[in-house]
Amino acid sequence: MKPPTAGEGSGGEDRRGGEEAGMQGSREARKSADSQEESRRAGQGTCRPAPPRRACQRHSRPEPGPSSARICLRNRPQGRERPGAMGQVSARSLCRASSSAWQGRLPWLGAAPAAPRGRSPAWSPGTAPARGLSSVAPSIRLSPAARSLFDEPLAIAVQGLGPRQQVTLRTSLRDETGELFQASAHYQAGDDGELDLARSPALPGGSFSGLEPMGLLWAMQPQKPFWRLVKRDVQSPFLLQLEVFEGHGERRGRLLAQAQHERAFLRDGVRRVPVREGRIRATLFLPTGSGPFPGIIDLYGAGGGLPEYRACLLANHGFAVLALAFYSYEDLPKAMKEFHLEYFEEAVNYMLQHTQVKGPGIGLLGHSKGGDLCVSMASFLKGITATALINGSVANVGAVLRYKDIIIPPLGINPKRIKVGKSGIADIIDALNSPLEGPDQQSFIPLEKAECCFLFIVGQDDHN
């Protein structure tokens, strides 16, 4: 029995064969259409955008990669692979390569870090802090931390900055009259975000430049021209304000950190004793301990009054110091016209007889007019073992000096040699006559009679 030919059969088998043939033909037709469409698109060289970056399972964050990368399909092999498979494989390989490269540079290898405190609100887990950047907000570190003596070194450092971040540091304080003094300097932090003024030089553009650990203190200038920083009440400190600003611009940047620090004049335990004995108008400062201590008489210049800030600082270092007024104070003469050396002799005897003062002699310290008074005291009075003067003269200046039957006239002055600058400040350095020639030799103090050692300190920029 011959098998049935197509179209001859009847029944279920014929029908199933017809259906299978129809389905096979339909599949072949769709396959042919797909192949033609792929060939057409490949021939046109169209490009398809790469799929979005996948999330990295290791870090739970998008892996870095070029967000606009495109995979060209012009030369894609013509096989049975799924359309777009080549693009997906290439994008995945690129993502893995980029991720490996970034992982070698990031400071973290675990879960995405939280945004550091004090950072910009724009910080997100998609970006990491630069290597070495502290996760804490910038802060000022001082040593001593809260309080130091006015003549004591103060160590200043800033921590928590970015690597090599540029900042401006500023110091401010107000004197007892409310006048403002300020200084500022430009700095750059180290690679670790640390800034130590003992190791980091100030950059040009501020109040000073170079390695100056204490520059922010000694460089402070008054906002009011030519105003002098004077501490009148040594029992209270100056309050120093320190601030750190972002950048080096002319306009002040964002405030990053600030701190306050007290600069005191009296060490704990130093005694301040007002002296009103006989004609003496003075203040005695005694160090801590039972003594006795080396004694010093401290004299200031033509400003008069009773400045105490240098005397108390010396007492902090173990000296018994008498800050002595000599005019323009209480019942002392109001003007600088004539001085009697007997007044200063009374002060010397007071110190030599004090139980807290170590003998057999005392020292003298004077500035400006106080300097030539110290030279006169050392030349005529007993009990002086050392004399230091700061910008003082070896001639009697400004007023007649009397001691017993000795009269020393003041050194002559030529007003025509006074120079007044644009600022209105008088330069008198050339106005005084020479005490080594002519009638002005009478003003020369006979310091060859002194029985002590001398220390002369001269600042050549002092023209007044």
Side-chain angles (χ1 to χ4, degrees):
M1 183 176 180
K2 67 176 182 178
T5 59
E8 293 182 328
S10 61
E13 290 182 0
D14 292 342
R15 286 193 299 272
R16 284 194 297 271
E19 290 172 359
E20 290 174 1
M23 293 174 63
Q24 181 68 24
S26 178
R27 284 195 296 269
E28 291 294 331
R30 285 196 299 271
K31 181 178 179 181
S32 175
D34 290 342
S35 177
Q36 291 177 6
E37 177 63 15
E38 291 174 8
S39 298
R40 182 183 67 78
R41 293 168 60 186
Q44 292 177 355
T46 58
C47 292
R48 179 178 301 167
R53 294 180 292 170
R54 71 183 184 90
C56 175
Q57 296 178 356
R58 184 175 185 181
H59 300 114
S60 302
R61 60 187 293 172
E63 293 181 323
S67 59
S68 59
R70 303 177 72 86
I71 308 301
C72 182
L73 303 179
R74 179 187 297 276
N75 298 318
R76 183 177 62 83
Q78 302 297 316
R80 294 183 58 85
E81 64 268 21
R82 185 170 69 256
M86 187 66 171
Q88 292 175 359
V89 171
S90 299
R92 185 179 298 112
S93 300
L94 180 62
C95 182
R96 287 174 177 170
S98 299
S99 177
S100 298
W102 276 101
Q103 288 173 15
R105 296 168 59 186
L106 295 175
W108 45 268
L109 292 175
R117 291 176 296 173
R119 298 297 168 216
S120 168
W123 195 94
S124 68
T127 59
R131 182 180 296 275
L133 184 62
S134 173
S135 61
V136 299
S139 62
I140 300 173
R141 187 174 67 246
L142 302 174
S143 181
R147 184 183 176 93
S148 61
L149 295 175
F150 190 77
D151 60 348
E152 184 178 5
L154 177 64
I156 303 174
V158 184
Q159 57 190 4
L161 299 172
R164 305 185 69 80
Q165 182 176 358
Q166 292 186 337
V167 292
T168 298
L169 272 64
R170 186 177 72 179
T171 50
S172 309
L173 68 79
R174 292 186 182 274
D175 68 6
E176 288 149 320
T177 67
E179 292 297 331
L180 178 65
F181 292 74
Q182 287 186 323
S184 64
H186 296 164
Y187 287 96
Q188 180 172 287
D191 292 333
D192 58 356
E194 295 280 334
L195 174 62
D196 186 346
L197 271 59
R199 300 196 304 266
S200 303
L203 305 176
S207 302
F208 60 92
S209 61
L211 188 60
E212 297 286 354
M214 292 283 287
L216 285 171
L217 280 77
W218 62 251
M220 284 193 291
Q221 293 291 322
Q223 298 298 298
K224 183 177 182 179
F226 310 116
W227 193 259
R228 184 179 176 185
L229 181 62
V230 176
K231 193 71 176 76
R232 303 188 184 281
D233 179 11
V234 299
Q235 299 178 91
S236 64
F238 277 136
L239 184 60
L240 182 68
Q241 178 82 18
L242 297 98
E243 298 166 297
V244 181
F245 297 98
E246 197 172 46
H248 292 168
E250 292 184 3
R251 292 187 176 182
R252 196 166 62 239
R254 180 168 61 99
L255 178 64
L256 300 177
Q258 59 183 337
Q260 288 186 338
H261 187 85
E262 290 185 349
R263 295 289 279 175
F265 285 78
L266 278 178
R267 189 188 300 276
D268 291 342
V270 172
R271 290 161 287 172
R272 176 183 178 273
V273 183
V275 178
R276 303 294 185 272
E277 293 196 14
R279 293 180 296 175
I280 301 174
R281 301 295 178 262
T283 302
L284 177 64
F285 291 92
L286 296 172
T288 58
S290 58
F293 310 98
I296 297 175
I297 292 180
D298 183 25
L299 298 176
Y300 261 84
L306 182 56
E308 297 180 353
Y309 50 88
R310 188 169 61 193
C312 69
L313 291 174
L314 286 170
N316 295 333
H317 296 282
F319 295 92
V321 187
L322 184 72
L324 180 63
F326 55 90
Y327 91 100
S328 189
Y329 183 75
E330 294 185 353
D331 57 349
L332 294 175
K334 302 302 180 183
M336 194 173 70
K337 295 181 179 180
E338 184 176 276
F339 296 119
H340 293 263
L341 206 55
E342 287 84 356
Y343 170 77
F344 301 93
E345 187 175 33
E346 190 174 342
V348 171
N349 292 333
Y350 170 83
M351 291 293 284
L352 291 173
Q353 296 169 9
H354 201 288
T355 58
Q356 294 293 301
V357 176
K358 182 189 298 184
I362 63 170
L364 304 176
L365 174 61
H367 167 257
S368 190
K369 176 57 186 176
D372 73 66
L373 284 171
C374 286
V375 175
S376 297
M377 293 167 67
S379 300
F380 293 104
L381 306 181
K382 301 297 183 181
I384 309 300
T385 56
T387 299
L389 57 154
I390 304 168
N391 280 30
S393 175
V394 294
N396 181 48
V397 178
V400 175
L401 179 68
R402 297 179 181 271
Y403 181 59
K404 298 179 179 179
D405 58 348
I406 299 173
I407 300 176
I408 301 180
L411 188 63
I413 184 171
N414 186 347
K416 294 182 179 180
R417 294 198 294 264
I418 298 176
K419 304 171 185 175
V420 179
K422 295 180 180 179
S423 62
I425 298 298
D427 182 341
I428 65 171
I429 193 170
D430 297 323
L432 292 171
N433 297 335
S434 171
L436 303 178
E437 56 188 32
D440 288 296
Q441 296 182 58
Q442 300 178 27
S443 300
F444 194 88
I445 302 170
L447 73 166
E448 68 276 6
K449 296 182 178 181
E451 299 177 354
C452 69
C453 298
F454 283 92
L455 173 63
F456 294 86
I457 302 173
V458 180
Q460 295 183 346
D461 286 340
D462 185 359
H463 286 203
N464 192 317

